[in-house]
Amino acid sequence: MESKFFHSLDVTVAVNFIISVIYLITGTLLSLSDRYSFFELNQDLYGEFVSNFKVTLFYLAITELIICAYCFFSKKNECFILVGFFLVLMIGSIYFYSKINNIELDDNLSLFFLYTGVSHIIFGIMSDLKKTHVRSTHSSH
């Protein structure tokens, strides 16, 4: 019974993680377009500010792709705990950015980073639990 629950939880966490990765990459890349952006970029955010912000989001999408490739090929999915932590920290960074530049940013950005960050953290923890479970199962035989 416990094994079925753990497996169901594992599948749910993995599916949610994949959705969060797709959402992060899609959301950041679509933000390059004024027409399809998930986020409302305030009219105070113009010229170089908006260009810098969009480039930062583009780099975030590329970085996510590289990190995902590294973690999956190296089978070190527990690294996503740290990635998720940094995504959650982005909430403070964008808040700081908006205060320093006296610009109001879309509140959906905070929710975006909270969801993607927490999803990464939970996936990393689940991956670590699975590795620990597999090691303990092999060492008991």
XYZ file of all heavy atoms in Angstrom, residues 11-114:
853
model
N 4.794 10.052 -9.364
C 4.299 10.377 -10.706
C 3.674 11.772 -10.712
O 3.921 12.569 -11.625
C 3.284 9.306 -11.196
C 2.565 9.768 -12.450
C 3.994 7.978 -11.432
N 2.891 12.083 -9.691
C 2.251 13.397 -9.599
C 3.295 14.509 -9.523
O 3.193 15.522 -10.219
C 1.325 13.462 -8.362
O 0.347 12.427 -8.474
C 0.644 14.806 -8.249
N 4.310 14.309 -8.696
C 5.381 15.303 -8.550
C 6.140 15.452 -9.867
O 6.454 16.572 -10.283
C 6.329 14.919 -7.389
C 7.605 15.736 -7.411
C 5.608 15.073 -6.052
N 6.424 14.339 -10.542
C 7.168 14.386 -11.808
C 6.363 15.109 -12.893
O 6.916 15.944 -13.627
C 7.524 12.974 -12.264
N 5.069 14.810 -12.995
C 4.224 15.477 -13.993
C 4.145 16.976 -13.695
O 4.275 17.807 -14.596
C 2.820 14.836 -14.055
C 1.846 15.682 -14.852
C 2.901 13.430 -14.634
N 3.937 17.318 -12.431
C 3.890 18.730 -12.044
C 5.216 19.422 -12.371
O 5.232 20.553 -12.850
C 3.577 18.879 -10.559
C 3.535 20.329 -10.152
O 2.662 21.082 -10.562
N 4.510 20.741 -9.359
N 6.318 18.739 -12.125
C 7.634 19.307 -12.422
C 7.780 19.583 -13.920
O 8.225 20.666 -14.317
C 8.750 18.371 -11.953
C 10.107 18.802 -12.404
C 10.732 19.886 -11.811
C 10.754 18.149 -13.437
C 11.987 20.315 -12.234
C 12.001 18.557 -13.866
C 12.618 19.638 -13.266
N 7.387 18.624 -14.740
C 7.492 18.805 -16.194
C 6.623 19.982 -16.636
O 7.049 20.803 -17.454
C 7.110 17.502 -16.935
C 8.186 16.444 -16.672
C 6.935 17.744 -18.425
C 7.801 15.038 -17.074
N 5.436 20.081 -16.071
C 4.557 21.212 -16.388
C 5.229 22.523 -15.980
O 5.198 23.505 -16.719
C 3.185 21.052 -15.710
C 2.414 19.903 -16.361
C 2.379 22.350 -15.758
C 1.169 19.473 -15.594
N 5.870 22.542 -14.807
C 6.518 23.776 -14.345
C 7.700 24.154 -15.231
O 7.938 25.336 -15.475
C 6.953 23.667 -12.880
O 8.118 22.909 -12.714
N 8.436 23.161 -15.726
C 9.558 23.449 -16.633
C 9.030 24.017 -17.947
O 9.551 25.016 -18.457
C 10.416 22.180 -16.882
C 11.404 22.393 -18.022
C 11.148 21.776 -15.611
N 7.993 23.400 -18.481
C 7.388 23.901 -19.726
C 6.854 25.315 -19.513
O 7.046 26.204 -20.346
C 6.277 22.943 -20.217
C 6.894 21.620 -20.677
C 5.450 23.579 -21.332
C 5.890 20.503 -20.903
N 6.197 25.525 -18.385
C 5.648 26.842 -18.047
C 6.765 27.875 -17.911
O 6.648 28.993 -18.432
C 4.838 26.720 -16.756
C 4.173 27.981 -16.286
C 3.345 28.727 -17.124
C 4.341 28.422 -14.979
C 2.716 29.876 -16.682
C 3.716 29.571 -14.522
C 2.916 30.300 -15.373
O 2.310 31.446 -14.929
N 7.857 27.494 -17.254
C 8.969 28.429 -17.083
C 9.581 28.801 -18.436
O 9.771 29.981 -18.736
C 10.041 27.826 -16.174
C 11.142 28.786 -15.762
C 11.558 28.520 -14.318
C 12.352 28.658 -16.638
N 9.854 27.817 -19.244
C 10.483 28.080 -20.541
C 9.525 28.836 -21.462
O 9.892 29.842 -22.064
C 10.973 26.766 -21.182
C 12.134 26.201 -20.350
C 11.409 26.991 -22.626
C 12.536 24.790 -20.711
N 8.288 28.374 -21.545
C 7.301 29.035 -22.399
C 7.015 30.450 -21.910
O 6.984 31.399 -22.700
C 5.993 28.225 -22.435
O 6.283 26.896 -22.846
C 4.986 28.838 -23.376
N 6.803 30.583 -20.618
C 6.499 31.899 -20.050
C 7.596 32.914 -20.267
O 7.321 34.077 -20.602
N 8.833 32.475 -20.107
C 9.937 33.418 -20.293
C 10.147 33.738 -21.770
O 10.377 34.900 -22.123
C 11.242 32.896 -19.661
O 11.525 31.587 -20.156
C 11.137 32.844 -18.152
N 10.038 32.741 -22.638
C 10.235 33.015 -24.065
C 9.098 33.847 -24.650
O 9.333 34.727 -25.473
C 10.411 31.707 -24.844
C 11.719 30.958 -24.577
C 11.752 29.651 -25.364
C 12.933 31.813 -24.894
N 7.870 33.582 -24.230
C 6.751 34.381 -24.732
C 6.814 35.826 -24.233
O 6.235 36.719 -24.844
C 5.415 33.750 -24.349
C 5.018 32.505 -25.134
C 3.709 31.921 -24.606
C 4.911 32.789 -26.625
N 7.515 36.044 -23.138
C 7.670 37.402 -22.621
C 8.518 38.276 -23.540
O 8.520 39.494 -23.408
C 8.289 37.371 -21.225
O 7.392 36.770 -20.333
N 9.216 37.646 -24.457
C 9.992 38.415 -25.426
C 9.063 39.160 -26.380
O 9.434 40.164 -26.971
C 10.930 37.494 -26.216
C 11.988 36.767 -25.390
C 12.763 35.796 -26.272
C 12.915 37.740 -24.704
N 7.838 38.657 -26.503
C 6.848 39.265 -27.381
C 5.873 40.099 -26.554
O 5.380 39.636 -25.532
C 6.074 38.157 -28.102
O 4.854 38.623 -28.587
N 5.591 41.288 -26.997
C 4.602 42.113 -26.295
C 3.201 41.536 -26.444
O 2.360 41.695 -25.571
C 4.621 43.546 -26.844
C 5.907 44.276 -26.513
O 6.519 43.947 -25.470
O 6.304 45.157 -27.293
N 2.974 40.855 -27.536
C 1.638 40.357 -27.852
C 1.257 39.097 -27.079
O 0.104 38.914 -26.706
C 1.572 40.081 -29.348
C 0.213 39.721 -29.828
C 0.194 39.648 -31.327
N -1.171 39.440 -31.773
C -1.505 39.247 -33.009
N -0.583 39.250 -33.938
N -2.748 39.067 -33.341
N 2.219 38.202 -26.829
C 1.908 36.905 -26.245
C 2.432 36.713 -24.828
O 2.355 35.624 -24.276
C 2.454 35.783 -27.135
C 1.849 35.799 -28.514
C 2.602 36.197 -29.614
C 0.528 35.421 -28.712
C 2.039 36.218 -30.879
C -0.033 35.441 -29.979
C 0.730 35.831 -31.058
O 0.171 35.853 -32.303
N 2.954 37.731 -24.239
C 3.556 37.619 -22.909
C 2.543 37.173 -21.864
O 1.383 37.597 -21.879
C 4.143 38.968 -22.492
O 4.719 38.861 -21.210
N 2.978 36.292 -20.959
C 2.149 35.874 -19.830
C 2.035 36.999 -18.811
O 1.149 36.994 -17.981
C 2.777 34.682 -19.109
C 2.650 33.364 -19.823
C 2.034 33.236 -21.056
C 3.147 32.221 -19.233
C 1.927 32.015 -21.681
C 3.045 30.988 -19.843
C 2.438 30.887 -21.077
N 2.968 37.920 -18.879
C 3.057 38.966 -17.873
C 2.764 40.319 -18.488
O 3.116 40.584 -19.632
C 4.454 38.989 -17.254
C 4.935 37.641 -16.858
C 5.964 37.032 -17.545
C 4.335 36.956 -15.814
C 6.400 35.771 -17.198
C 4.750 35.693 -15.462
C 5.786 35.098 -16.152
N 2.128 41.158 -17.707
C 1.874 42.509 -18.160
C 3.066 43.361 -17.758
O 3.341 43.555 -16.570
C 0.595 43.056 -17.519
C 0.181 44.376 -18.116
C -1.174 44.822 -17.587
O -2.060 43.970 -17.446
O -1.297 46.026 -17.308
N 3.777 43.824 -18.751
C 4.936 44.667 -18.481
C 4.458 46.106 -18.469
O 4.049 46.651 -19.497
C 6.042 44.430 -19.516
C 6.564 42.989 -19.548
C 7.605 42.827 -20.640
C 7.128 42.580 -18.203
N 4.472 46.676 -17.305
C 3.969 48.019 -17.056
C 4.572 49.013 -18.048
O 5.715 48.887 -18.462
C 4.327 48.415 -15.623
C 3.642 49.660 -15.165
O 3.598 50.657 -15.873
N 3.120 49.604 -13.952
N 3.802 50.023 -18.397
C 4.295 51.025 -19.341
C 5.450 51.834 -18.775
O 6.178 52.479 -19.515
C 3.150 51.938 -19.779
C 2.191 51.185 -20.682
C 0.843 51.864 -20.776
O 0.476 52.667 -19.945
N 0.098 51.508 -21.804
N 5.617 51.798 -17.442
C 6.797 52.440 -16.848
C 8.067 51.699 -17.240
O 9.157 52.236 -17.173
C 6.696 52.450 -15.320
C 5.628 53.393 -14.820
O 5.254 54.314 -15.576
O 5.172 53.200 -13.678
N 7.900 50.437 -17.604
C 9.025 49.603 -17.992
C 9.201 49.763 -19.506
O 8.507 49.153 -20.303
C 8.710 48.144 -17.641
C 9.846 47.140 -17.656
C 10.923 47.535 -16.648
C 9.314 45.765 -17.309
N 10.099 50.609 -19.916
C 10.234 50.926 -21.329
C 11.710 50.993 -21.719
O 12.596 50.984 -20.861
C 9.554 52.269 -21.641
C 10.146 53.431 -20.880
C 11.176 54.194 -21.420
C 9.718 53.737 -19.598
C 11.742 55.233 -20.703
C 10.273 54.773 -18.880
C 11.291 55.526 -19.441
O 11.853 56.534 -18.721
N 11.938 51.064 -23.004
C 13.285 51.238 -23.531
C 14.250 50.187 -23.035
O 14.006 48.996 -23.155
N 15.358 50.652 -22.479
C 16.400 49.740 -22.018
C 15.922 48.860 -20.871
O 16.322 47.707 -20.764
C 17.637 50.539 -21.598
C 18.333 51.191 -22.770
C 19.528 52.023 -22.331
O 20.007 51.854 -21.202
O 19.980 52.839 -23.144
N 15.061 49.397 -20.011
C 14.551 48.593 -18.900
C 13.840 47.351 -19.413
O 14.102 46.240 -18.970
C 13.577 49.387 -18.030
C 14.227 50.304 -17.048
C 13.779 51.596 -16.911
C 15.283 49.883 -16.252
C 14.368 52.452 -15.993
C 15.875 50.724 -15.336
C 15.416 52.025 -15.209
N 12.912 47.532 -20.337
C 12.151 46.391 -20.837
C 13.054 45.446 -21.619
O 12.915 44.228 -21.517
C 10.905 46.823 -21.656
C 11.266 47.281 -23.046
C 9.886 45.707 -21.712
N 14.008 45.987 -22.355
C 14.941 45.135 -23.099
C 15.788 44.303 -22.143
O 15.967 43.098 -22.353
C 15.848 45.981 -23.994
O 15.076 46.642 -24.968
N 16.297 44.933 -21.097
C 17.099 44.204 -20.110
C 16.266 43.123 -19.423
O 16.738 42.005 -19.200
C 17.662 45.155 -19.046
C 18.754 46.042 -19.590
O 19.367 45.740 -20.607
N 18.987 47.149 -18.923
N 15.045 43.461 -19.082
C 14.164 42.518 -18.420
C 13.878 41.316 -19.325
O 13.929 40.163 -18.888
C 12.870 43.217 -18.011
C 12.025 42.402 -17.097
C 12.384 42.227 -15.771
C 10.863 41.811 -17.564
C 11.599 41.461 -14.917
C 10.071 41.052 -16.721
C 10.434 40.877 -15.398
N 13.602 41.580 -20.581
C 13.319 40.494 -21.534
C 14.552 39.626 -21.775
O 14.436 38.405 -21.869
C 12.793 41.068 -22.850
C 11.378 41.593 -22.731
C 10.884 42.169 -24.038
C 9.448 42.630 -23.929
N 8.916 43.086 -25.208
N 15.711 40.243 -21.860
C 16.945 39.474 -22.043
C 17.192 38.590 -20.823
O 17.579 37.425 -20.954
C 18.154 40.409 -22.310
C 19.471 39.675 -22.187
C 18.023 41.038 -23.691
N 16.927 39.116 -19.639
C 17.078 38.329 -18.415
C 16.147 37.123 -18.431
O 16.551 36.012 -18.083
C 16.804 39.202 -17.173
O 17.718 40.294 -17.170
C 16.945 38.410 -15.891
N 14.914 37.325 -18.853
C 13.968 36.213 -18.945
C 14.417 35.199 -20.000
O 14.287 33.988 -19.810
C 12.563 36.725 -19.248
C 11.883 37.492 -18.112
C 10.549 38.066 -18.569
C 11.696 36.618 -16.884
N 14.966 35.677 -21.108
C 15.483 34.778 -22.144
C 16.623 33.926 -21.581
O 16.665 32.707 -21.775
C 15.968 35.583 -23.357
C 16.627 34.744 -24.408
C 15.879 33.926 -25.233
C 18.002 34.766 -24.561
C 16.487 33.141 -26.200
C 18.621 33.987 -25.530
C 17.858 33.171 -26.346
N 17.547 34.559 -20.854
C 18.655 33.815 -20.234
C 18.143 32.797 -19.224
O 18.707 31.711 -19.086
C 19.649 34.766 -19.563
C 20.545 35.512 -20.523
C 20.948 36.812 -20.254
C 20.999 34.934 -21.702
C 21.768 37.506 -21.130
C 21.806 35.611 -22.583
C 22.197 36.902 -22.290
O 23.012 37.587 -23.152
N 17.078 33.138 -18.544
C 16.492 32.207 -17.591
C 15.980 30.952 -18.311
O 16.188 29.830 -17.836
C 15.345 32.881 -16.826
C 14.655 32.045 -15.766
C 15.623 31.643 -14.665
C 13.493 32.821 -15.177
N 15.347 31.118 -19.453
C 14.853 29.971 -20.228
C 16.012 29.099 -20.710
O 15.960 27.870 -20.593
C 14.027 30.450 -21.425
N 17.059 29.720 -21.225
C 18.230 28.968 -21.702
C 18.908 28.244 -20.545
O 19.285 27.067 -20.658
C 19.231 29.915 -22.424
C 18.574 30.570 -23.639
C 20.512 29.179 -22.797
C 18.032 29.613 -24.674
N 19.042 28.929 -19.423
C 19.655 28.324 -18.240
C 18.846 27.125 -17.768
O 19.410 26.081 -17.418
C 19.778 29.369 -17.106
O 20.556 30.466 -17.579
C 20.427 28.781 -15.872
N 17.526 27.244 -17.777
C 16.666 26.135 -17.372
C 16.875 24.929 -18.280
O 16.971 23.794 -17.793
C 15.195 26.565 -17.401
C 14.213 25.475 -17.042
C 14.196 25.101 -15.569
O 14.891 25.745 -14.757
O 13.476 24.152 -15.213
N 16.958 25.159 -19.575
C 17.206 24.053 -20.513
C 18.539 23.366 -20.229
O 18.633 22.131 -20.209
C 17.176 24.560 -21.954
C 15.804 24.906 -22.517
C 15.940 25.617 -23.863
C 14.971 23.645 -22.668
N 19.563 24.146 -19.993
C 20.903 23.593 -19.726
C 20.913 22.818 -18.410
O 21.459 21.705 -18.334
C 21.963 24.713 -19.721
C 22.114 25.278 -21.137
C 23.298 24.211 -19.185
C 22.901 26.572 -21.215
N 20.310 23.377 -17.378
C 20.267 22.702 -16.077
C 19.480 21.401 -16.176
O 19.899 20.373 -15.640
C 19.678 23.625 -14.988
C 20.665 24.743 -14.669
C 19.327 22.841 -13.726
C 20.101 25.841 -13.776
N 18.338 21.435 -16.863
C 17.540 20.219 -17.030
C 18.338 19.141 -17.762
O 18.344 17.978 -17.342
C 16.243 20.508 -17.775
S 14.998 21.332 -16.783
N 19.003 19.526 -18.818
C 19.815 18.561 -19.572
C 20.909 17.972 -18.679
O 21.102 16.744 -18.648
C 20.430 19.232 -20.797
N 21.610 18.825 -17.953
C 22.673 18.344 -17.064
C 22.123 17.377 -16.013
O 22.672 16.288 -15.821
C 23.370 19.520 -16.361
C 24.260 19.060 -15.234
C 25.501 18.493 -15.504
C 23.839 19.142 -13.909
C 26.303 18.030 -14.474
C 24.632 18.683 -12.878
C 25.863 18.129 -13.162
O 26.645 17.665 -12.140
N 21.050 17.773 -15.346
C 20.504 16.946 -14.267
C 19.989 15.607 -14.776
O 20.219 14.570 -14.149
C 19.402 17.692 -13.529
S 20.005 19.055 -12.515
N 19.316 15.604 -15.894
C 18.774 14.355 -16.402
C 19.870 13.434 -16.948
O 19.832 12.237 -16.704
C 17.690 14.605 -17.446
C 16.416 15.112 -16.838
C 15.863 16.303 -17.252
C 15.762 14.405 -15.837
C 14.695 16.778 -16.686
C 14.593 14.873 -15.263
C 14.053 16.067 -15.691
N 20.841 13.974 -17.664
C 21.910 13.132 -18.209
C 22.852 12.640 -17.119
O 23.377 11.532 -17.205
C 22.675 13.860 -19.311
C 21.877 14.004 -20.579
C 21.669 15.249 -21.141
C 21.316 12.897 -21.211
C 20.923 15.401 -22.305
C 20.566 13.020 -22.376
C 20.375 14.286 -22.916
N 23.065 13.429 -16.103
C 23.950 13.018 -15.009
C 23.196 12.262 -13.918
O 23.810 11.760 -12.984
C 24.638 14.240 -14.391
O 23.692 15.053 -13.726
N 21.873 12.189 -14.057
C 21.006 11.530 -13.077
C 21.178 12.139 -11.685
O 21.190 11.451 -10.671
C 21.241 10.022 -13.054
C 20.931 9.356 -14.380
C 21.015 7.870 -14.286
C 20.850 7.143 -15.577
N 20.003 7.587 -16.582
N 21.295 13.472 -11.642
C 21.436 14.207 -10.388
C 20.252 15.162 -10.219
O 20.417 16.360 -10.058
C 22.751 14.982 -10.368
C 23.966 14.095 -10.371
C 25.236 14.889 -10.277
C 26.424 13.951 -10.257
N 27.687 14.671 -10.160
N 19.060 14.588 -10.224
C 17.849 15.410 -10.142
C 17.683 16.109 -8.799
O 16.916 17.052 -8.689
C 16.611 14.572 -10.449
C 16.555 14.148 -11.895
O 17.196 14.749 -12.749
N 15.811 13.116 -12.179
N 18.410 15.653 -7.785
C 18.338 16.340 -6.496
C 18.922 17.753 -6.586
O 18.648 18.599 -5.725
C 19.018 15.529 -5.383
C 20.487 15.289 -5.565
C 20.849 14.096 -6.453
O 19.953 13.459 -7.038
O 22.046 13.806 -6.561
N 19.664 18.046 -7.644
C 20.185 19.407 -7.871
C 19.044 20.413 -8.060
O 19.239 21.612 -7.859
C 21.104 19.444 -9.086
S 22.628 18.528 -8.860
N 17.869 19.919 -8.432
C 16.735 20.821 -8.633
C 16.275 21.483 -7.335
O 15.573 22.484 -7.372
C 15.567 20.093 -9.306
C 15.789 19.861 -10.774
C 15.929 18.583 -11.280
C 15.869 20.938 -11.653
C 16.127 18.371 -12.637
C 16.069 20.739 -13.005
C 16.204 19.456 -13.497
N 16.682 20.924 -6.192
C 16.369 21.573 -4.916
C 17.009 22.959 -4.901
O 16.355 23.952 -4.574
C 16.869 20.731 -3.719
C 16.146 19.384 -3.673
C 16.686 21.499 -2.398
C 16.745 18.392 -2.683
N 18.263 23.019 -5.267
C 18.990 24.294 -5.292
C 18.441 25.221 -6.378
O 18.275 26.418 -6.147
C 20.488 24.046 -5.514
C 21.411 25.227 -5.350
C 21.292 25.833 -3.954
C 22.851 24.800 -5.599
N 18.133 24.670 -7.530
C 17.560 25.468 -8.619
C 16.242 26.094 -8.160
O 15.992 27.284 -8.364
C 17.336 24.607 -9.887
C 16.591 25.402 -10.960
C 18.659 24.092 -10.427
N 15.397 25.287 -7.519
C 14.125 25.787 -7.018
C 14.304 26.880 -5.982
O 13.576 27.876 -5.976
N 15.292 26.701 -5.124
C 15.590 27.712 -4.118
C 15.918 29.046 -4.787
O 15.408 30.095 -4.397
C 16.755 27.229 -3.244
C 17.229 28.227 -2.238
C 16.465 28.542 -1.128
C 18.459 28.850 -2.406
C 16.911 29.472 -0.196
C 18.909 29.777 -1.483
C 18.137 30.090 -0.370
N 16.733 29.007 -5.833
C 17.091 30.240 -6.533
C 15.904 30.837 -7.290
O 15.783 32.063 -7.385
C 18.287 30.023 -7.464
C 19.584 29.974 -6.719
C 20.290 28.795 -6.608
C 20.094 31.106 -6.095
C 21.473 28.741 -5.894
C 21.281 31.072 -5.382
C 21.971 29.884 -5.282
N 15.029 29.992 -7.808
C 13.824 30.514 -8.467
C 12.934 31.240 -7.463
O 12.395 32.307 -7.766
C 13.050 29.391 -9.155
C 13.674 28.846 -10.443
C 12.951 27.581 -10.891
C 13.656 29.895 -11.539
N 12.794 30.677 -6.269
C 12.006 31.349 -5.231
C 12.679 32.667 -4.828
O 12.003 33.674 -4.597
C 11.788 30.419 -4.011
C 11.164 31.176 -2.846
C 10.902 29.232 -4.394
N 14.006 32.671 -4.779
C 14.724 33.908 -4.456
C 14.506 34.998 -5.500
O 14.640 36.185 -5.193
C 16.224 33.649 -4.319
C 16.693 32.969 -3.042
C 18.196 32.747 -3.081
C 16.300 33.763 -1.814
N 14.136 34.601 -6.714
C 13.864 35.582 -7.770
C 12.714 36.505 -7.380
O 12.656 37.648 -7.832
C 13.523 34.877 -9.093
C 14.708 34.226 -9.774
S 15.898 35.399 -10.391
C 14.963 36.179 -11.680
N 11.820 36.036 -6.520
C 10.703 36.868 -6.064
C 11.259 38.112 -5.383
O 10.829 39.232 -5.658
C 9.774 36.084 -5.119
C 9.134 34.908 -5.857
C 8.709 36.998 -4.517
C 8.450 33.901 -4.952
N 12.217 37.917 -4.503
C 12.857 39.050 -3.833
C 13.636 39.911 -4.800
O 13.645 41.149 -4.681
N 14.278 39.291 -5.762
C 15.074 40.037 -6.749
C 14.201 40.951 -7.594
O 14.561 42.110 -7.833
C 15.834 39.074 -7.662
O 16.728 38.299 -6.921
N 13.061 40.440 -8.058
C 12.205 41.292 -8.892
C 11.548 42.387 -8.057
O 11.323 43.484 -8.547
C 11.165 40.494 -9.708
C 10.228 39.706 -8.806
C 11.841 39.606 -10.727
C 9.077 39.042 -9.533
N 11.265 42.071 -6.798
C 10.720 43.098 -5.904
C 11.755 44.209 -5.707
O 11.438 45.391 -5.811
C 10.331 42.484 -4.557
C 9.851 43.501 -3.554
C 8.556 44.012 -3.633
C 10.687 43.959 -2.544
C 8.106 44.959 -2.722
C 10.247 44.901 -1.626
C 8.962 45.399 -1.719
O 8.536 46.337 -0.821
N 12.993 43.807 -5.459
C 14.087 44.768 -5.288
C 14.281 45.590 -6.565
O 14.415 46.811 -6.521
C 15.382 44.022 -4.921
C 16.564 44.904 -4.718
C 16.675 45.689 -3.571
C 17.581 44.949 -5.659
C 17.779 46.504 -3.375
C 18.683 45.765 -5.467
C 18.790 46.543 -4.327
N 14.275 44.922 -7.716
C 14.423 45.587 -9.015
C 13.338 46.641 -9.200
O 13.606 47.769 -9.633
C 14.348 44.534 -10.135
C 14.454 45.096 -11.531
C 15.695 45.323 -12.109
C 13.309 45.380 -12.277
C 15.790 45.825 -13.400
C 13.400 45.888 -13.564
C 14.638 46.107 -14.122
O 14.731 46.613 -15.384
N 12.097 46.281 -8.857
C 10.994 47.225 -9.054
C 11.090 48.410 -8.092
O 10.767 49.536 -8.466
C 9.645 46.528 -8.903
O 9.369 46.190 -7.565
N 11.564 48.180 -6.873
C 11.695 49.278 -5.901
C 12.844 50.205 -6.275
O 12.705 51.430 -6.213
C 11.900 48.732 -4.479
C 10.675 48.073 -3.918
C 9.522 49.049 -3.858
C 8.249 48.364 -3.435
N 7.060 49.119 -3.732
N 13.964 49.638 -6.654
C 15.137 50.447 -7.024
C 14.832 51.328 -8.221
O 15.230 52.489 -8.278
C 16.348 49.527 -7.343
C 16.874 48.904 -6.080
C 17.448 50.246 -8.083
C 17.619 49.836 -5.170
N 14.111 50.775 -9.190
C 13.814 51.508 -10.423
C 12.468 52.232 -10.370
O 12.067 52.830 -11.363
C 13.850 50.552 -11.617
C 15.245 50.057 -11.869
O 16.152 50.833 -12.143
N 15.446 48.755 -11.731
N 11.801 52.129 -9.225
C 10.512 52.778 -9.033
C 9.517 52.402 -10.139
O 8.880 53.249 -10.760
C 10.664 54.302 -8.936
C 9.467 54.953 -8.288
O 8.759 54.333 -7.507
N 9.231 56.208 -8.645
N 9.438 51.082 -10.386
C 8.584 50.531 -11.438
C 7.708 49.444 -10.837
O 8.183 48.601 -10.083
C 9.443 49.926 -12.575
C 10.252 51.004 -13.254
C 8.579 49.194 -13.575
C 11.264 50.473 -14.227
N 6.447 49.462 -11.186
C 5.544 48.414 -10.719
C 5.606 47.251 -11.708
O 5.420 47.432 -12.913
C 4.122 48.956 -10.636
C 3.174 48.011 -9.963
C 1.808 48.632 -9.760
O 1.743 49.842 -9.462
O 0.825 47.897 -9.912
N 5.885 46.061 -11.187
C 5.928 44.873 -12.023
C 4.713 44.004 -11.748
O 4.104 44.070 -10.673
C 7.206 44.079 -11.762
C 8.508 44.747 -12.214
C 9.704 43.899 -11.811
C 8.512 44.973 -13.716
N 4.356 43.192 -12.708
C 3.204 42.309 -12.627
C 3.345 41.355 -11.431
O 4.365 40.678 -11.279
C 3.107 41.514 -13.933
C 1.831 40.721 -14.069
O 1.102 40.558 -13.072
O 1.557 40.258 -15.194
N 2.313 41.293 -10.599
C 2.314 40.383 -9.444
C 2.382 38.921 -9.878
O 2.798 38.057 -9.103
C 1.063 40.597 -8.586
C 1.103 41.914 -7.835
O 2.216 42.436 -7.580
O 0.010 42.430 -7.496
N 1.976 38.640 -11.114
C 2.041 37.267 -11.613
C 3.479 36.755 -11.705
O 3.695 35.547 -11.688
C 1.356 37.155 -12.979
C -0.145 37.281 -12.857
O -0.737 36.866 -11.875
N -0.759 37.883 -13.855
N 4.433 37.664 -11.793
C 5.833 37.237 -11.800
C 6.191 36.538 -10.497
O 6.893 35.520 -10.502
C 6.766 38.433 -12.024
C 6.889 38.924 -13.453
C 7.529 40.303 -13.497
C 7.710 37.937 -14.266
N 5.717 37.056 -9.376
C 5.989 36.422 -8.082
C 5.357 35.033 -8.016
O 5.991 34.072 -7.575
C 5.461 37.286 -6.940
O 6.154 38.499 -6.889
N 4.119 34.919 -8.466
C 3.446 33.617 -8.478
C 4.152 32.643 -9.413
O 4.282 31.457 -9.110
C 1.982 33.782 -8.889
C 1.097 34.534 -7.902
C -0.292 34.786 -8.504
C 0.987 33.791 -6.596
N 4.599 33.155 -10.540
C 5.335 32.365 -11.525
C 6.586 31.751 -10.896
O 6.823 30.544 -10.984
C 5.702 33.276 -12.704
C 6.590 32.675 -13.740
C 6.086 31.821 -14.694
C 7.937 33.012 -13.781
C 6.909 31.286 -15.681
C 8.763 32.490 -14.759
C 8.248 31.617 -15.709
N 7.380 32.581 -10.226
C 8.611 32.091 -9.613
C 8.339 31.218 -8.391
O 9.079 30.266 -8.133
C 9.546 33.249 -9.270
C 10.203 33.834 -10.486
C 9.968 35.148 -10.847
C 11.041 33.079 -11.279
C 10.556 35.699 -11.978
C 11.641 33.612 -12.416
C 11.394 34.923 -12.768
N 7.279 31.503 -7.663
C 6.921 30.673 -6.517
C 6.522 29.274 -6.989
O 7.029 28.269 -6.472
C 5.788 31.320 -5.719
C 5.334 30.546 -4.479
C 6.466 30.463 -3.459
C 4.110 31.205 -3.872
